[in-house]
Amino acid sequence: MAFRRTEHHRGRRVLATLLFLLAPAAAAEPDRFSASELERIASHGPWPTAWMRDPGNRVSANPAAVHLGYRLFFEPRLSANGRVACATCHDPARGFQDGRATARGLTDGVRNTPGLFDVRQQRWFGWDGGHDNLWSASLRPILDQGEMGGSAGRTAHVLRGSAALACHYRQAFGKAPTAGDSDLLVNVAKAIASWQETLLSPPAPFDHFRDALERKDVAAAAAYPAAARRGLKIFLGRGQCATCHAGPNFTNGEFGDIGVPFFIKPAGVDPGRQGGIKRLLANPWNLLGAYNDDATGGNTTGTKFVRPEHRNFGEFKVPTLRNLTLTAPYMHNGSLATLRDVVRHYSDLDEDRLHADGERILRPLNLSEAENADLVAFLESLSPATPLPPPVVPAPVPACRAP
Amino acid sequence: MKSPRHVPTAGAARRPLATLLAALAGLSGALAMLPAASAAEPKLPIFDAHVHYSHDAWDRTPPKEAIAILRKAGLKRAMVSSSSDDGTQKLYAEAPDLVVPSLRPYRKRGEISTWVRDETVIPHLEDRLRKFRYAAIGEFHVYGSDADLPVVRRMVQLAKQYKLWLHLHGDSDAIERVLVQDPEARILWAHSGFDRPEAVRAMLRKHRKLHADLAFRNDHATGGKIDPAWREAFIEFPDRFLVGTDTFTPERWYYIAEHADWSRAWLADLPKDVAERIGWRNGENLFASMMATK
């Protein structure tokens, strides 16, 4: 009897779910979803997505390279003053960000440090997309005089000074790290990239909700807070946020001008994507160059055809919305301190800053305070519900383990 | 992963020395084929027909600094409009030899979509037209049947009365409606309406006093090479096109010089006479001359 009652309840729940999912009036309800909305919710998953190695990096997923990259990511001796490592700005405890408005390496920078979770999924790298591959993007800060100020010679010295590092380099690349090796820096960057490719964010509350809807598991879906649900409706509907923040990683991987000022101090402007494309095309380490390990050239299409346009001036990358609670402040220049500020930016959008024939989807959302809070609740649901453990330390390869 | 300060310059490390030498030899050969005077030839002057200097621009880039930007970019002249008009007047006072004033119907930014139904626009225009000299009214935004609204009609009359150009950002329908109101109206079609070159040519054929600027569009040239359909348009109507940056945010003042260089690059792909006309002579003939003769 108890079994039957349970079945009966389950049956009612399924019926309620179907009504919940498909009721014609659902779109008008503050926290119910229409069939169209459900379809769009499904498009933001599943998470995590399938991982694929980078064909442009021959040591992508190579265990020796991953271990070497991990060690070098935290290695301050690569920098000119011996005190700045990749991890100085990309702090694992902060979603591989630094919590500052703009980065500080050897000197102060002008852009906000992006987090590194799920970086393997990106198509362009850096706020301006000045790189078309992760290893090239990882190489630049090592040499940049304002960030680490390093060099090939310094890097080779660090590698040769450690039997374990030198061994992993040999295992990964088949040769010793010599000071005169012109490939050395690129190889080091490829190793660092191979480690960053392993940084994957775990499913967030939204993912559990999305998966529960897919399974038609009402009980599990009910655990998703009502405020986040209402915020999700705004995200999909009035906000049109999903137009750019699309797919499982909540980004279309491209660039936009959302009306954030881009002056820099003390004078001048940050040209954003327009400057990024010019740097990309001039970069000897882009995918059109000799260091791309993809013999098919299948990964070069974007770089072959991208050209700077007037509209790119002041455009910045559409960032992922995952892990935002770990990576404040926000925007390319860190000018917005909180997620509430970000939502308010879109709510009170200054249309005068947008070209009349530019970002046509952007209009002030004119959200109430309650709606603002709902949208923030949804954004927060894209971050892990509990603190993330430190990244897993990749094991040394057997050939390089100390006897 | 953050903002770059220096673009790496190392490269070609894998290329054998012989390849590099061969490349250098080829380069010197190519250089030898360039006209000898090209290195010393002065930059093509540019008449920038689409510059705004609104309140947030003059807050950030004061007139002296703004004029320095225009001169450094090698502009022969710039047609400037602003919201409010005070910005235009500040710049014109600073450099009357460089600035060609145009009067926007907007008293502040944010009136782009409301002005056509705002009757207070008219006394604003009348007042400014009595007080100051202009070559044009605009840039203003109007689409389709809105061009027949009373505020727009009165503005068209004012342009006729003061013998001014209309710098119109809108579709071909709006252009047609204005030309019904005043068949002799002289219109500078902002952004060439973002229309395809064939459609722009059709409009230019149909309306002999219609001119078009190429601001904020890239489709006519890539990497200094002109799109074939646009080339036909430029060759057919060398006296009807102008270039322009469109400084719709204050930051874009820092793009004026780069835009001028970008324009010079694609203009160089045209016969010299056509390039000069589109680059600056058309602007001089149509607008600057008006300021000189008043």
Side-chain angles (χ1 to χ4, degrees):
Chain A
M1 194 63 187
F3 173 75
R4 280 186 184 171
R5 205 162 39 233
T6 304
E7 283 299 291
H8 177 67
H9 281 301
R10 194 169 291 157
R12 284 177 59 185
R13 281 207 312 249
V14 169
L15 180 62
T17 307
L18 289 173
L19 290 173
F20 168 77
L21 298 180
L22 300 173
E29 298 292 329
D31 61 351
R32 295 188 177 198
F33 298 99
S34 67
S36 160
E37 287 171 328
L38 288 166
E39 197 175 312
R40 281 180 283 156
I41 291 169
S43 75
H44 290 289
W47 189 263
T49 56
W51 190 93
M52 292 172 63
R53 61 178 298 278
D54 175 5
N57 178 357
R58 68 186 183 283
V59 295
S60 178
N62 174 306
V66 170
H67 180 82
L68 177 65
Y70 166 78
R71 297 275 299 268
L72 294 177
F73 187 86
F74 293 91
E75 178 53 80
R77 290 177 299 160
L78 296 183
S79 68
N81 68 359
R83 292 201 295 271
V84 181
C86 305
T88 302
C89 295
H90 296 287
D91 179 356
R94 294 175 178 270
F96 293 89
Q97 210 260 1
D98 56 7
R100 296 172 49 83
T102 54
R104 177 179 289 167
L106 293 175
T107 61
D108 286 339
V110 297
R111 289 187 187 152
N112 182 254
T113 303
L116 295 180
F117 275 119
D118 314 311
V119 69
R120 171 69 192 97
Q121 296 200 18
Q122 295 187 21
R123 175 179 176 186
W124 307 109
F125 298 83
W127 281 105
D128 64 1
H131 298 272
D132 58 3
N133 66 80
L134 182 55
W135 42 271
S136 169
S138 305
L139 193 158
R140 187 196 54 73
I142 296 174
L143 296 181
D144 190 300
Q145 294 305 301
E147 296 193 31
M148 294 172 70
S151 66
R154 183 182 297 275
T155 305
H157 179 75
V158 170
L159 288 173
R160 288 201 310 274
S162 159
L165 293 180
C167 178
H168 279 87
Y169 187 93
R170 273 196 309 276
Q171 290 296 314
F173 298 103
K175 58 183 177 181
T178 58
D181 182 358
S182 59
D183 291 352
L184 181 138
L185 264 177
V186 177
N187 287 345
V188 161
K190 285 180 176 174
I192 294 174
S194 72
W195 181 67
Q196 292 172 82
E197 288 168 8
T198 68
L199 303 174
L200 307 175
S201 56
F206 166 80
D207 300 303
H208 298 308
F209 176 63
R210 180 251 174 222
D211 293 349
L213 291 179
E214 284 278 282
R215 297 191 310 270
K216 297 183 171 48
D217 182 343
V218 177
Y224 193 56
R229 216 178 284 215
R230 292 191 299 270
L232 173 55
K233 265 188 100 70
I234 296 171
F235 182 85
L236 298 170
R238 262 168 76 193
Q240 297 193 66
C241 315
T243 304
C244 296
H245 294 285
N249 206 22
F250 288 86
T251 173
N252 59 8
E254 290 299 326
F255 302 81
D257 177 358
I258 55 165
V260 173
F262 49 100
F263 281 109
I264 53 176
K265 291 176 181 173
V269 297
D270 181 342
R273 181 59 170 153
Q274 194 262 352
I277 293 173
K278 290 200 302 186
R279 288 197 307 111
L280 167 71
L281 297 177
N283 189 338
W285 300 302
N286 70 24
L287 292 176
L288 302 178
Y291 295 95
N292 179 6
D293 295 326
D294 183 356
T296 70
N299 61 355
T300 61
T301 305
T303 312
K304 263 184 198 163
F305 295 104
V306 70
R307 293 292 178 273
E309 298 189 351
H310 307 316
R311 70 176 176 81
N312 298 134
F313 193 74
E315 285 185 338
F316 294 91
K317 191 155 77 171
V318 176
T320 175
L321 300 181
R322 290 188 176 273
N323 308 305
L324 289 178
T325 59
L326 304 174
T327 59
Y330 307 103
M331 303 301 176
H332 75 275
N333 54 7
S335 56
L336 300 181
T338 67
L339 287 178
R340 187 166 283 267
D341 294 334
V342 172
V343 170
R344 198 170 284 131
H345 169 82
Y346 286 100
S347 183
D348 305 337
L349 195 70
D350 180 1
E351 283 186 277
D352 288 345
R353 286 200 53 89
L354 307 175
H355 195 268
D357 290 87
E359 306 284 356
R360 286 167 184 263
I361 64 160
L362 289 176
R363 294 286 178 270
L365 297 181
N366 298 316
L367 300 175
S368 68
E369 276 305 304
E371 289 170 326
N372 188 326
D374 288 343
L375 196 45
V376 169
F378 165 66
L379 293 173
E380 287 174 343
S381 80
L382 300 174
S383 296
T386 54
L388 293 177
V392 175
V393 177
V397 297
C400 299
R401 283 179 193 148
Chain B
M1 294 301 291
K2 299 182 290 295
S3 65
R5 292 173 181 78
H6 304 283
V7 175
T9 52
R14 283 180 169 178
R15 288 184 205 138
L17 183 60
T19 310
L20 282 174
L21 289 173
L24 286 171
L27 181 61
S28 67
L31 287 173
M33 293 174 69
L34 291 174
S38 65
E41 203 166 285
K43 278 185 171 182
L44 181 73
I46 294 291
F47 184 106
D48 193 318
H50 202 131
V51 175
H52 301 302
Y53 188 59
S54 296
H55 56 83
D56 43 5
W58 80 66
D59 284 348
R60 188 81 194 202
T61 311
K64 276 193 194 310
E65 209 174 303
I67 292 299
I69 287 173
L70 299 181
R71 293 203 194 280
K72 195 173 175 190
L75 298 196
K76 186 165 185 63
R77 238 176 282 266
M79 188 154 82
V80 178
S81 62
S82 60
S83 316
S84 73
D85 184 54
D86 289 348
T88 302
Q89 299 307 327
K90 286 173 196 281
L91 271 198
Y92 185 55
E94 187 68 32
D97 63 309
L98 184 61
V99 172
V100 177
S102 178
L103 174 60
R104 287 197 110 169
Y106 314 146
R107 289 144 297 187
K108 62 180 190 299
R109 297 180 67 188
E111 294 185 337
I112 284 180
S113 54
T114 59
W115 77 278
V116 290
R117 290 180 174 79
D118 182 352
E119 292 184 356
T120 66
V121 164
I122 296 305
H124 159 68
L125 290 174
E126 291 171 339
D127 178 57
R128 301 302 285 196
L129 288 169
R130 274 193 300 271
K131 288 181 181 165
F132 302 105
R133 296 176 60 191
Y134 301 95
I137 295 178
E139 176 200 17
F140 56 85
H141 299 70
V142 65
Y143 296 88
S145 59
D146 279 359
D148 285 331
L149 289 169
V151 172
V152 184
R153 285 180 173 276
R154 177 61 184 144
M155 187 185 67
V156 174
Q157 288 172 2
L158 285 170
K160 183 176 185 178
Q161 178 185 338
Y162 284 87
K163 298 183 173 56
L164 300 178
W165 284 77
L166 291 163
H167 194 183
L168 186 154
H169 179 141
D171 52 9
S172 55
D173 186 16
I175 301 266
E176 301 280 7
R177 288 169 187 268
V178 169
L179 288 170
V180 168
Q181 294 166 38
D182 177 10
E184 296 302 310
R186 292 178 296 176
I187 298 174
L188 176 61
W189 195 9
H191 315 287
S192 302
F194 288 109
D195 256 337
R196 292 173 298 104
E198 297 79 7
V200 175
R201 286 171 78 185
M203 285 294 283
L204 293 176
R205 279 191 204 113
K206 187 174 177 186
H207 302 294
R208 62 187 169 80
K209 290 193 175 174
L210 179 65
H211 291 65
D213 83 38
L214 297 160
F216 202 62
R217 55 189 305 165
N218 289 83
D219 54 326
H220 53 290
T222 303
K225 292 293 169 195
I226 296 175
D227 171 82
W230 275 108
R231 176 183 293 279
E232 289 180 30
F234 298 147
I235 296 297
E236 184 178 355
F237 297 107
D239 297 326
R240 310 279 286 280
F241 285 102
L242 296 93
V243 298
T245 304
D246 193 355
T247 52
F248 64 93
T249 61
E251 287 92 335
R252 284 193 176 256
W253 271 78
Y254 294 84
Y255 189 58
I256 288 174
E258 183 156 349
H259 182 273
D261 284 340
W262 182 82
S263 300
R264 290 181 182 107
W266 69 260
L267 287 167
D269 193 33
L270 286 169
K272 189 176 178 186
D273 173 55
V274 177
E276 287 185 350
R277 283 194 260 182
I278 294 174
W280 65 278
R281 287 189 192 279
N282 292 344
E284 285 294 294
N285 294 339
L286 299 171
F287 304 108
S289 59
M290 293 172 64
M291 300 306 292
T293 55
K294 277 187 179 177

